[in-house]
Amino acid sequence: MLMLMPDPSDMSDLMQRVARGDRAALASLFDAESGRLVAIAQRIVRRRDLAEEVVQEVFVTVWQKAAIFDASKGSARGWLTTIVRNRALNLIRNDARIDFRDSDDLTDLGDRQGDALAAYNALSERDALRACLERLDEPKRRAILLCYVTGLNHGEAAATMRAPLGTVKAWIRRGVASLQECLS
Amino acid sequence: MTGKEMERVGEYVLGLLDDADRSAFEAEMARDPKLAATVQRLQAQFQSLDDTSTALPNNPEMWRRIEQQLDASPSAAVTFPSGKAPPDRAWTPLAMAASVLVALGLGYLAGDLTGSRQPIMIAVLIDETSASPGAIVEAFADDSLRLVPLEQFNVPDGKILQVWTLPDPDIGPISLGTFADPTTIELKGPDLPTPSAGQLYEITLEPAPGSPTGRPTGPVLVKGFAKPPV
């Protein structure tokens, strides 16, 4: 897979220029990151138009809030990713245009499982997260991937996995705790 | 970290906490930089999953719409009172206050804006000697206000913390209430004009049960200016 990763220091530099009101820097940031961010949002909101809306709003937020980006606390790419994920999750949890209770048809659920599994399979063999996910029991791993990659909540994950809600909650709780132990 | 704590960190990063639990957890992170760092580390590790997504082609139409929105709203640079970008050092306190919000994964700023109670203004109050954020004030349309201390204020016996705002320099500072126990506090302020962007909020140390003159008399512990949430 071809991935063009902008240099982290360039990204951080761009963010500082955006904070000073440099619109060309925002345009460069958009060119470098928007396609990736739309893809991340789309895994969660499913619809391309909504994913683009999420990313569009995030770029407006970044324009207004770039001054609060702190390079010592993490990468600019990571910051953007977190904001996009939060917006996308807010949208599927709160937006009336999306009702997942109506959309539990097999194709959609299958797509989500497919996306979650594809993300896992695409992780590099050397990735610490992959190594630690591999160590989990399959249902725990699958529940965590469904929630993280496609933004499902507990109930949706339970419906997708055809397992009782309490069981899925326990899988996730125990799974994320083991993951952290493994990663630390 | 206990197993329970790890479970909550994990559920937060997976986006599984409900609105109330998420706000409580973010307030905890604001008070506990170690917790915030733990969350950020796990977020970064999970982001290798985001990095597996295949970037879609850029959509120039999106950029056009972003530019339209920018033209309709002020740029980042004019948020500085001078109207031009100050030297880096001048906005260090702002940047540091902001870093707390960054540590919150921006849930606070970009978070749930559809909740029933949305502040119309937020001020991050800065301790000017240490240049670190000391409290967040959220002002609501009904004159009430929510205060989230980010620092343990040292309140000597016989003293009390008093919250002030300056809606109009001609009227002078107005007391919004007093508190002694620095946990999250809801204050019902007096009937005031709707808070505006740039309005000053501060907390002073006063003799209990409150300033004898009705004006701040004690030292200013933290202060900051209001901004509307996006």
Side-chain angles (χ1 to χ4, degrees), chain A residues 3 20 23 26-27 31 34-36 38-40 42-43 52 56 63-65 67-68 70 73 77-78 81-82 85-86 90 93-94 119 123 127 129 148 152 154 173 176 180-181 183, chain B residues 6-7 9 11 14-16 22 40 45-54 56 58-59 62-63 65-67 69-71 75-77 91 98-99 102 105 109-112 114 230:
Chain A
M3 278 201 283
R20 290 186 216 113
R23 200 181 281 191
L26 189 74
D31 289 342
S34 68
R36 182 183 79 90
V38 171
I40 291 169
Q42 195 175 337
R43 278 174 169 177
E52 290 192 346
Q56 189 183 316
W63 178 246
Q64 290 156 341
K65 307 280 182 207
I68 74 174
D70 179 353
K73 293 266 168 80
R77 273 180 108 237
T81 306
T82 300
R85 291 185 52 85
N86 284 346
N90 279 340
R93 305 271 195 259
N94 299 312
L123 286 174
D127 190 284
L129 182 72
Y148 186 82
L152 296 190
H154 289 122
R173 277 201 302 270
V176 289
Q180 284 167 85
E181 266 165 22
L183 285 165
Chain B
M6 282 196 284
E7 287 173 11
V9 167
E11 291 195 307
L14 293 181
L16 289 172
R22 193 181 59 185
Q40 195 136 31
Q45 283 164 326
F46 262 95
Q47 282 179 6
S48 35
L49 284 167
D50 296 306
D51 285 337
T52 63
S53 54
T54 310
L56 293 160
N58 282 355
N59 178 353
M62 259 174 89
W63 176 249
R65 289 194 300 256
I66 291 167
E67 284 209 298
Q69 272 181 271
L70 300 189
D71 290 336
S75 85
W91 54 277
S99 69
V102 173
L109 292 167
D112 175 20
T114 57
V230 177

Coordinates of all heavy atoms in Angstrom, one line a residue, chain A residues 3 20 23 26-27 31 34-36 38-40 42-43 52 56 63-65 67-68 70 73 77-78 81-82 85-86 90 93-94 119 123 127 129 148 152 154 173 176 180-181 183, chain B residues 6-7 9 11 14-16 22 40 45-54 56 58-59 62-63 65-67 69-71 75-77 91 98-99 102 105 109-112 114 230:
Chain A
M3 N 1.6 4.8 1.0 CA 1.1 5.9 1.9 C 2.1 7.0 2.0 O 3.3 6.8 2.2 CB 0.9 5.3 3.3 CG -0.4 4.5 3.5 SD -0.8 4.4 5.2 CE 0.2 3.1 5.7
R20 N -1.0 31.2 13.1 CA -0.8 32.7 12.9 C -1.7 33.2 11.8 O -1.5 34.3 11.3 CB 0.7 32.9 12.5 CG 1.6 32.7 13.7 CD 3.0 33.0 13.3 NE 4.0 32.1 14.0 CZ 4.7 31.2 13.4 NH1 4.7 31.1 12.0 NH2 5.5 30.4 14.0
R23 N -3.4 31.1 5.6 CA -4.3 30.2 5.0 C -3.6 29.2 4.0 O -4.1 28.1 3.8 CB -5.4 31.0 4.3 CG -6.6 30.1 4.0 CD -7.7 30.9 3.3 NE -8.5 31.7 4.2 CZ -9.7 32.3 3.8 NH1 -10.2 32.1 2.6 NH2 -10.3 33.0 4.7
L26 N -2.9 26.2 5.9 CA -4.1 25.4 6.0 C -4.4 24.6 4.8 O -4.7 23.4 4.8 CB -5.3 26.2 6.4 CG -6.5 25.4 6.8 CD1 -6.3 24.8 8.2 CD2 -7.8 26.2 6.8
A27 N -4.2 25.2 3.6 CA -4.4 24.5 2.3 C -3.4 23.4 2.2 O -3.8 22.3 1.7 CB -4.2 25.5 1.2
D31 N -4.3 19.5 1.7 CA -3.8 18.6 0.7 C -3.1 17.4 1.2 O -3.3 16.3 0.7 CB -2.7 19.4 -0.2 CG -3.4 20.5 -1.0 OD1 -4.7 20.4 -1.2 OD2 -2.8 21.4 -1.5
S34 N -6.4 15.6 4.0 CA -7.8 15.4 4.0 C -8.3 14.1 3.5 O -9.3 13.5 4.0 CB -8.5 16.6 3.2 OG -8.1 16.4 1.8
G35 N -7.6 13.5 2.5 CA -8.0 12.2 1.9 C -7.9 11.1 2.9 O -8.9 10.3 3.0
R36 N -6.9 11.1 3.7 CA -6.7 10.1 4.8 C -7.8 10.3 5.9 O -8.4 9.4 6.3 CB -5.3 10.3 5.4 CG -5.0 9.3 6.5 CD -3.6 9.7 7.1 NE -3.7 10.7 8.1 CZ -3.9 10.6 9.4 NH1 -4.0 9.4 9.9 NH2 -3.9 11.6 10.2
V38 N -10.8 11.7 5.6 CA -12.1 11.4 5.1 C -12.3 9.9 5.2 O -13.3 9.3 5.6 CB -12.4 11.9 3.7 CG1 -13.7 11.3 3.1 CG2 -12.4 13.4 3.6
A39 N -11.2 9.1 4.8 CA -11.3 7.7 4.9 C -11.5 7.2 6.3 O -12.3 6.3 6.5 CB -10.0 7.1 4.3
I40 N -10.9 7.8 7.3 CA -11.0 7.4 8.7 C -12.5 7.7 9.1 O -13.1 6.9 9.7 CB -10.0 8.2 9.6 CG1 -8.6 7.7 9.3 CG2 -10.4 8.0 11.1 CD1 -7.5 8.5 9.9
Q42 N -15.1 8.0 7.3 CA -16.0 7.2 6.5 C -16.2 5.8 7.1 O -17.3 5.2 7.1 CB -15.7 7.1 5.0 CG -16.8 6.6 4.2 CD -16.5 6.6 2.7 OE1 -15.7 7.3 2.2 NE2 -17.2 5.7 2.0
R43 N -15.1 5.2 7.7 CA -15.2 3.9 8.4 C -16.3 4.1 9.5 O -16.9 3.1 9.9 CB -13.9 3.6 9.0 CG -12.9 2.9 8.0 CD -11.6 2.7 8.8 NE -10.7 1.9 8.0 CZ -9.4 1.7 8.5 NH1 -9.0 2.2 9.6 NH2 -8.6 0.9 7.8
E52 N -17.1 13.6 4.6 CA -16.5 14.9 4.1 C -17.0 16.1 4.9 O -16.2 17.0 5.2 CB -16.9 15.1 2.6 CG -16.2 14.1 1.7 CD -16.3 14.5 0.2 OE1 -17.2 15.3 -0.1 OE2 -15.6 13.9 -0.6
Q56 N -14.5 18.5 6.8 CA -14.6 20.0 6.5 C -14.8 20.8 7.8 O -14.1 21.8 8.0 CB -15.9 20.1 5.7 CG -16.1 21.4 5.0 CD -17.5 21.4 4.3 OE1 -17.7 20.4 3.6 NE2 -18.3 22.4 4.5
W63 N -8.5 25.8 12.0 CA -8.2 27.2 11.6 C -8.4 28.0 12.9 O -7.6 28.9 13.2 CB -9.1 27.6 10.5 CG -9.0 29.0 10.1 CD1 -9.9 30.0 10.2 CD2 -7.9 29.6 9.4 NE1 -9.4 31.2 9.7 CE2 -8.2 31.0 9.2 CE3 -6.6 29.2 9.0 CZ2 -7.3 31.9 8.6 CZ3 -5.7 30.0 8.4 CH2 -6.1 31.4 8.2
Q64 N -9.4 27.8 13.6 CA -9.7 28.6 14.8 C -8.9 28.2 16.0 O -8.7 29.0 16.9 CB -11.2 28.5 15.1 CG -12.1 29.2 14.1 CD -13.5 28.7 14.1 OE1 -13.8 27.6 14.6 NE2 -14.4 29.5 13.5
K65 N -8.5 26.9 16.1 CA -7.9 26.4 17.3 C -6.5 26.0 17.2 O -5.9 25.3 18.1 CB -8.7 25.2 17.8 CG -10.2 25.4 18.0 CD -10.5 26.1 19.3 CE -12.0 26.3 19.4 NZ -12.3 27.4 20.2
A67 N -3.8 27.4 17.5 CA -2.9 27.9 18.6 C -2.9 27.0 19.8 O -1.9 27.0 20.5 CB -3.4 29.3 19.0
I68 N -3.9 26.1 20.0 CA -3.8 25.3 21.1 C -3.1 23.9 20.9 O -3.0 23.1 21.7 CB -5.2 25.0 21.8 CG1 -6.0 24.0 20.9 CG2 -6.0 26.3 22.0 CD1 -7.3 23.6 21.6
D70 N -0.2 21.6 20.7 CA 1.1 21.6 21.5 C 1.9 20.4 21.0 O 1.6 19.3 21.3 CB 0.8 21.5 23.0 CG 2.0 21.4 23.8 OD1 3.1 21.4 23.2 OD2 1.9 21.5 25.0
K73 N 3.0 17.5 23.1 CA 2.1 16.5 23.6 C 1.7 15.5 22.6 O 0.8 14.7 22.8 CB 0.8 17.3 24.1 CG 1.0 18.1 25.3 CD 0.7 17.4 26.6 CE 1.2 18.1 27.8 NZ 0.3 19.2 28.2
R77 N -0.5 15.1 13.2 CA -1.3 14.1 12.6 C -2.2 13.4 13.6 O -3.4 13.2 13.3 CB -0.5 13.0 11.9 CG 0.0 13.3 10.5 CD 0.8 12.1 10.0 NE 0.1 11.4 9.0 CZ -0.1 10.1 9.1 NH1 0.3 9.4 10.1 NH2 -0.8 9.5 8.1
G78 N -1.6 13.0 14.7 CA -2.4 12.4 15.8 C -3.5 13.3 16.3 O -4.6 12.8 16.5
T81 N -6.3 13.4 13.8 CA -7.0 12.1 13.8 C -7.9 12.0 14.9 O -9.1 11.6 14.8 CB -6.0 10.9 13.8 OG1 -5.0 11.1 12.8 CG2 -6.7 9.6 13.7
T82 N -7.5 12.5 16.1 CA -8.3 12.4 17.3 C -9.5 13.3 17.1 O -10.7 12.9 17.4 CB -7.5 12.9 18.6 OG1 -6.4 12.0 18.7 CG2 -8.4 12.8 19.8
R85 N -12.0 11.7 14.7 CA -12.7 10.6 15.3 C -13.8 11.1 16.2 O -14.9 10.6 16.2 CB -11.7 9.7 16.0 CG -10.7 8.9 15.1 CD -9.9 7.9 15.9 NE -10.7 7.1 16.8 CZ -11.3 6.0 16.3 NH1 -11.1 5.5 15.1 NH2 -12.1 5.3 17.2
N86 N -13.4 12.1 17.1 CA -14.4 12.6 18.0 C -15.7 13.2 17.3 O -16.8 12.9 17.7 CB -13.8 13.7 18.9 CG -12.9 13.1 20.0 OD1 -13.0 11.9 20.2 ND2 -12.1 14.0 20.6
N90 N -19.4 11.8 17.5 CA -20.5 12.6 17.9 C -21.6 12.6 16.8 O -22.8 12.5 17.2 CB -20.1 14.1 18.0 CG -19.4 14.3 19.3 OD1 -19.6 13.6 20.2 ND2 -18.6 15.4 19.4
R93 N -23.6 9.3 17.0 CA -24.3 9.1 18.3 C -25.5 10.1 18.3 O -26.5 9.8 19.0 CB -23.4 9.4 19.5 CG -22.1 8.6 19.5 CD -22.3 7.2 20.2 NE -21.0 6.6 20.6 CZ -20.5 5.6 19.9 NH1 -21.1 5.2 18.8 NH2 -19.3 5.2 20.2
N94 N -25.3 11.3 17.7 CA -26.3 12.4 18.0 C -27.0 12.9 16.8 O -27.9 13.7 16.9 CB -25.5 13.6 18.6 CG -24.9 13.2 20.0 OD1 -25.6 12.6 20.8 ND2 -23.7 13.5 20.2
A119 N -8.6 -3.6 8.7 CA -7.7 -2.7 9.4 C -6.7 -3.5 10.2 O -5.5 -3.2 10.2 CB -8.5 -1.7 10.3
L123 N -2.4 -4.0 9.6 CA -1.4 -3.5 10.6 C 0.0 -4.2 10.3 O 0.0 -5.4 10.0 CB -1.8 -3.8 12.0 CG -2.9 -3.0 12.7 CD1 -3.2 -3.6 14.0 CD2 -2.5 -1.5 12.8
D127 N 4.0 -3.9 14.4 CA 3.3 -3.0 15.2 C 3.0 -3.6 16.5 O 2.5 -4.7 16.6 CB 2.0 -2.6 14.4 CG 1.2 -1.5 15.1 OD1 0.6 -1.7 16.1 OD2 1.3 -0.4 14.5
L129 N 0.7 -2.7 18.7 CA -0.8 -2.9 18.9 C -1.2 -4.2 18.3 O -1.9 -5.0 18.8 CB -1.6 -1.8 18.3 CG -3.1 -1.9 18.5 CD1 -3.4 -1.6 19.9 CD2 -3.8 -0.9 17.6
Y148 N -13.5 0.4 17.8 CA -12.6 1.4 17.5 C -12.6 1.8 16.0 O -12.7 3.0 15.6 CB -11.1 1.0 17.8 CG -10.2 2.2 17.6 CD1 -10.0 3.2 18.5 CD2 -9.5 2.3 16.4 CE1 -9.2 4.3 18.3 CE2 -8.7 3.4 16.1 CZ -8.5 4.4 17.1 OH -7.7 5.5 16.9
L152 N -18.7 1.5 16.5 CA -19.9 0.9 17.1 C -19.9 1.1 18.6 O -18.9 1.2 19.2 CB -20.0 -0.6 16.8 CG -20.1 -1.0 15.4 CD1 -20.4 -2.5 15.3 CD2 -21.2 -0.3 14.7
H154 N -21.5 -0.3 22.5 CA -21.6 -1.7 23.0 C -22.8 -2.4 22.4 O -22.7 -3.6 22.0 CB -21.9 -1.6 24.6 CG -20.7 -1.2 25.3 ND1 -20.7 -0.1 26.2 CD2 -19.5 -1.7 25.5 CE1 -19.6 0.1 26.7 NE2 -18.8 -0.9 26.3
R173 N -14.1 -4.7 28.2 CA -13.4 -4.2 29.4 C -12.2 -5.0 29.7 O -11.1 -4.4 29.9 CB -14.4 -4.3 30.6 CG -15.3 -3.1 30.7 CD -15.8 -2.9 32.2 NE -16.5 -4.1 32.6 CZ -17.8 -4.4 32.5 NH1 -18.5 -3.4 31.9 NH2 -18.3 -5.5 32.9
V176 N -9.5 -4.5 26.7 CA -8.7 -3.2 26.7 C -7.7 -3.2 27.9 O -6.6 -2.6 27.7 CB -9.5 -1.9 26.6 CG1 -10.2 -1.8 25.3 CG2 -10.5 -1.8 27.8
Q180 N -3.6 -2.9 27.4 CA -2.7 -1.9 28.0 C -1.6 -2.5 28.7 O -0.5 -2.1 28.7 CB -3.5 -1.0 28.9 CG -4.3 0.0 28.1 CD -5.4 0.7 28.9 OE1 -5.1 1.7 29.6 NE2 -6.6 0.2 29.0
E181 N -1.9 -3.7 29.4 CA -0.8 -4.4 30.1 C 0.3 -4.8 29.1 O 1.5 -4.7 29.3 CB -1.3 -5.6 30.9 CG -1.7 -5.2 32.3 CD -2.5 -6.2 33.0 OE1 -2.5 -7.4 32.5 OE2 -3.2 -5.9 33.9
L183 N 0.8 -3.6 26.1 CA 1.5 -2.5 25.4 C 2.5 -1.7 26.3 O 3.4 -1.0 25.8 CB 0.4 -1.5 24.9 CG -0.4 -1.9 23.7 CD1 -1.6 -1.0 23.5 CD2 0.5 -1.9 22.4
Chain B
M6 N -7.7 1.1 34.0 CA -7.3 0.7 32.6 C -8.5 0.5 31.7 O -8.6 0.8 30.6 CB -6.4 -0.5 32.6 CG -5.0 -0.2 33.0 SD -3.8 -1.4 32.5 CE -4.1 -2.6 33.8
E7 N -9.6 -0.1 32.4 CA -10.8 -0.3 31.6 C -11.4 1.0 31.2 O -11.9 1.1 30.0 CB -11.8 -1.1 32.5 CG -11.4 -2.6 32.7 CD -12.3 -3.3 33.7 OE1 -13.4 -2.7 34.1 OE2 -12.0 -4.4 34.1
V9 N -9.8 3.9 30.8 CA -9.0 4.6 29.8 C -9.3 3.9 28.4 O -9.5 4.6 27.4 CB -7.5 4.4 30.2 CG1 -6.6 4.7 29.0 CG2 -7.1 5.2 31.4
E11 N -12.0 2.3 27.4 CA -13.3 2.6 26.9 C -13.4 4.0 26.4 O -14.1 4.3 25.4 CB -14.4 2.3 28.0 CG -14.5 0.8 28.2 CD -15.8 0.5 29.0 OE1 -16.0 1.1 30.1 OE2 -16.5 -0.4 28.6
L14 N -11.8 4.0 23.0 CA -12.6 3.3 22.0 C -13.9 4.1 21.7 O -14.7 3.8 20.9 CB -13.0 1.9 22.5 CG -12.0 0.9 22.7 CD1 -12.6 -0.4 23.2 CD2 -11.2 0.6 21.4
G15 N -14.1 5.2 22.5 CA -15.3 6.1 22.2 C -16.5 5.5 22.8 O -17.6 5.7 22.3
L16 N -16.4 4.7 23.9 CA -17.5 4.0 24.4 C -18.2 4.6 25.7 O -19.2 4.1 26.2 CB -17.1 2.5 24.7 CG -16.9 1.7 23.5 CD1 -16.3 0.3 23.9 CD2 -18.2 1.5 22.7
R22 N -18.0 10.5 30.0 CA -16.9 11.1 29.2 C -16.5 12.5 29.8 O -15.4 12.8 30.0 CB -17.3 11.3 27.7 CG -16.2 11.5 26.8 CD -16.6 11.7 25.4 NE -17.5 12.8 25.3 CZ -18.1 13.1 24.1 NH1 -17.9 12.4 23.0 NH2 -18.9 14.1 24.1
Q40 N -3.3 9.6 26.1 CA -2.7 10.1 24.8 C -1.8 9.0 24.2 O -1.8 8.8 23.0 CB -1.9 11.3 25.1 CG -1.5 12.0 23.8 CD -1.7 13.5 23.9 OE1 -1.6 14.1 25.0 NE2 -2.1 14.2 22.8
Q45 N -1.2 4.7 20.1 CA -1.0 3.3 19.7 C -2.2 2.8 18.8 O -2.0 2.1 17.8 CB -0.8 2.5 20.9 CG 0.6 2.7 21.5 CD 0.7 2.2 22.9 OE1 -0.2 2.2 23.7 NE2 1.9 1.6 23.3
F46 N -3.4 3.2 19.2 CA -4.6 2.8 18.4 C -4.6 3.4 17.1 O -5.2 2.9 16.1 CB -5.9 3.1 19.2 CG -6.4 1.9 19.9 CD1 -6.1 1.7 21.3 CD2 -7.2 0.9 19.3 CE1 -6.6 0.6 21.9 CE2 -7.7 -0.2 19.9 CZ -7.4 -0.4 21.3
Q47 N -4.0 4.6 16.9 CA -4.0 5.2 15.6 C -3.3 4.5 14.5 O -3.5 4.8 13.3 CB -3.6 6.7 15.8 CG -4.7 7.5 16.4 CD -4.3 9.0 16.6 OE1 -3.2 9.4 16.1 NE2 -5.2 9.7 17.2
S48 N -2.5 3.5 14.9 CA -2.0 2.7 13.7 C -3.1 2.0 13.0 O -3.0 1.7 11.8 CB -0.9 1.7 14.2 OG -1.1 1.1 15.4
L49 N -4.3 1.8 13.7 CA -5.4 1.2 12.9 C -6.0 2.3 12.0 O -6.4 2.0 10.8 CB -6.5 0.8 13.9 CG -6.3 -0.5 14.7 CD1 -7.3 -0.7 15.8 CD2 -6.4 -1.7 13.7
D50 N -6.0 3.5 12.4 CA -6.5 4.6 11.5 C -5.6 4.7 10.3 O -6.0 5.0 9.2 CB -6.6 5.9 12.2 CG -7.6 5.9 13.4 OD1 -8.8 5.5 13.1 OD2 -7.3 6.2 14.5
D51 N -4.3 4.5 10.6 CA -3.3 4.7 9.5 C -3.5 3.6 8.4 O -2.9 3.7 7.3 CB -1.9 4.7 10.0 CG -1.6 6.0 10.7 OD1 -2.2 7.0 10.4 OD2 -0.7 6.0 11.6
T52 N -4.2 2.5 8.7 CA -4.4 1.5 7.6 C -5.4 1.9 6.6 O -5.6 1.2 5.6 CB -4.8 0.2 8.3 OG1 -6.1 0.3 8.9 CG2 -3.9 -0.3 9.3
S53 N -6.2 3.0 6.9 CA -7.2 3.3 5.9 C -6.6 3.9 4.6 O -5.6 4.6 4.7 CB -8.2 4.3 6.5 OG -7.5 5.4 7.0
T54 N -7.1 3.5 3.5 CA -6.6 4.0 2.2 C -7.1 5.4 2.0 O -8.3 5.6 1.8 CB -7.0 3.1 1.1 OG1 -6.7 1.7 1.5 CG2 -6.2 3.4 -0.2
L56 N -8.5 8.6 0.5 CA -9.4 8.9 -0.7 C -8.8 10.1 -1.4 O -8.0 10.9 -0.9 CB -10.8 9.2 -0.2 CG -11.5 8.0 0.4 CD1 -12.7 8.4 1.3 CD2 -12.0 7.0 -0.6
N58 N -8.3 13.7 -2.8 CA -8.8 15.0 -2.2 C -9.9 15.5 -3.1 O -9.9 15.3 -4.3 CB -7.6 16.0 -2.3 CG -6.7 15.8 -1.1 OD1 -6.9 14.9 -0.3 ND2 -5.6 16.6 -1.1
N59 N -10.9 16.1 -2.4 CA -12.0 16.7 -3.1 C -11.9 18.2 -3.1 O -12.1 18.8 -2.0 CB -13.3 16.2 -2.4 CG -14.6 16.8 -3.0 OD1 -14.5 17.6 -3.9 ND2 -15.7 16.3 -2.5
M62 N -14.6 20.3 -1.4 CA -14.5 20.4 0.1 C -13.7 21.6 0.5 O -14.1 22.3 1.4 CB -13.8 19.2 0.6 CG -14.7 18.1 1.2 SD -13.6 16.7 1.7 CE -13.1 17.2 3.3
W63 N -12.6 21.8 -0.2 CA -11.7 22.9 0.1 C -12.4 24.2 -0.2 O -12.3 25.2 0.6 CB -10.4 22.9 -0.6 CG -9.5 24.1 -0.4 CD1 -9.2 25.1 -1.2 CD2 -8.9 24.5 0.9 NE1 -8.5 26.0 -0.6 CE2 -8.3 25.7 0.7 CE3 -8.9 23.9 2.2 CZ2 -7.6 26.3 1.7 CZ3 -8.3 24.5 3.2 CH2 -7.6 25.7 3.0
R65 N -15.6 24.7 0.0 CA -16.6 24.9 1.1 C -15.9 25.4 2.4 O -16.4 26.2 3.1 CB -17.4 23.7 1.4 CG -18.4 23.4 0.2 CD -19.4 22.3 0.7 NE -18.8 21.0 1.0 CZ -18.8 20.0 0.2 NH1 -19.4 20.0 -0.9 NH2 -18.2 18.9 0.7
I66 N -14.7 24.8 2.7 CA -14.0 25.3 3.9 C -13.7 26.8 3.8 O -13.9 27.5 4.7 CB -12.7 24.4 4.1 CG1 -13.1 23.0 4.4 CG2 -11.8 25.1 5.1 CD1 -11.9 22.0 4.3
E67 N -13.2 27.1 2.6 CA -12.8 28.6 2.4 C -14.0 29.5 2.6 O -13.9 30.5 3.2 CB -12.2 28.8 1.0 CG -10.8 28.3 1.0 CD -9.9 29.0 -0.1 OE1 -10.3 29.0 -1.2 OE2 -9.0 29.7 0.3
Q69 N -16.5 28.9 4.5 CA -16.8 29.0 6.0 C -15.7 30.0 6.7 O -16.1 30.7 7.6 CB -16.8 27.7 6.6 CG -18.1 27.0 6.6 CD -18.1 25.6 7.3 OE1 -17.8 24.6 6.6 NE2 -18.3 25.6 8.6
L70 N -14.5 29.9 6.2 CA -13.5 30.7 6.8 C -13.7 32.2 6.5 O -13.5 33.0 7.4 CB -12.1 30.4 6.3 CG -11.6 28.9 6.5 CD1 -10.1 28.8 6.1 CD2 -11.8 28.5 8.0
D71 N -14.2 32.5 5.3 CA -14.5 33.8 4.9 C -15.6 34.4 5.8 O -15.7 35.6 6.1 CB -14.9 34.0 3.5 CG -13.7 33.7 2.6 OD1 -12.5 33.9 3.1 OD2 -13.9 33.3 1.4
S75 N -10.4 34.7 11.6 CA -9.2 33.8 11.5 C -8.7 33.6 12.9 O -9.0 34.3 13.9 CB -8.2 34.4 10.6 OG -7.4 35.2 11.4
A76 N -7.8 32.6 13.1 CA -7.2 32.3 14.3 C -6.4 33.6 14.9 O -6.4 33.9 16.0 CB -6.2 31.2 14.2
A77 N -5.8 34.3 14.0 CA -4.9 35.3 14.4 C -5.6 36.5 15.1 O -5.1 37.0 16.0 CB -4.1 35.9 13.2
W91 N 2.2 34.6 24.1 CA 1.0 33.7 24.3 C 1.3 32.4 24.9 O 0.5 31.5 24.9 CB 0.2 33.6 23.0 CG 1.0 33.1 21.8 CD1 1.7 33.9 21.0 CD2 1.0 31.8 21.3 NE1 2.3 33.1 20.0 CE2 1.8 31.8 20.1 CE3 0.4 30.6 21.6 CZ2 2.1 30.7 19.4 CZ3 0.7 29.5 20.9 CH2 1.5 29.5 19.8
A98 N -4.1 25.9 26.8 CA -4.6 25.1 25.7 C -4.1 23.7 25.7 O -4.8 22.8 25.3 CB -4.2 25.8 24.4
S99 N -2.9 23.5 26.1 CA -2.3 22.2 26.1 C -3.1 21.2 27.0 O -3.2 20.0 26.7 CB -0.9 22.2 26.5 OG -0.7 22.4 27.8
V102 N -5.8 20.2 24.9 CA -5.3 19.2 23.9 C -5.2 17.8 24.6 O -5.6 16.8 24.0 CB -3.9 19.6 23.4 CG1 -3.4 18.5 22.5 CG2 -4.1 20.9 22.6
G105 N -7.9 15.5 24.4 CA -8.3 14.9 23.1 C -9.3 15.8 22.4 O -10.0 15.4 21.5
L109 N -13.6 20.7 23.4 CA -13.9 21.7 22.5 C -14.7 21.2 21.3 O -15.6 21.9 20.8 CB -12.6 22.4 22.0 CG -11.8 23.1 23.0 CD1 -10.4 23.4 22.5 CD2 -12.5 24.4 23.3
A110 N -14.3 20.1 20.8 CA -14.9 19.6 19.6 C -15.9 18.5 20.0 O -16.4 17.7 19.2 CB -13.9 19.0 18.7
G111 N -16.3 18.5 21.3 CA -17.1 17.4 21.8 C -18.5 17.6 21.5 O -18.9 18.1 20.6
D112 N -19.3 17.1 22.5 CA -20.7 17.0 22.2 C -21.3 18.4 22.3 O -21.5 18.9 23.4 CB -21.3 16.1 23.3 CG -22.8 16.1 23.2 OD1 -23.4 16.4 22.1 OD2 -23.5 15.7 24.2
T114 N -24.3 19.1 21.1 CA -25.7 18.9 20.9 C -26.4 18.6 22.3 O -27.6 18.4 22.3 CB -26.0 17.8 19.9 OG1 -25.4 16.6 20.4 CG2 -25.5 18.1 18.6
V230 N -16.9 26.6 19.7 CA -17.2 26.5 18.3 C -18.6 25.8 18.0 O -18.9 24.8 18.7 CB -16.1 25.6 17.5 CG1 -16.5 25.5 16.1 CG2 -14.8 26.3 17.7

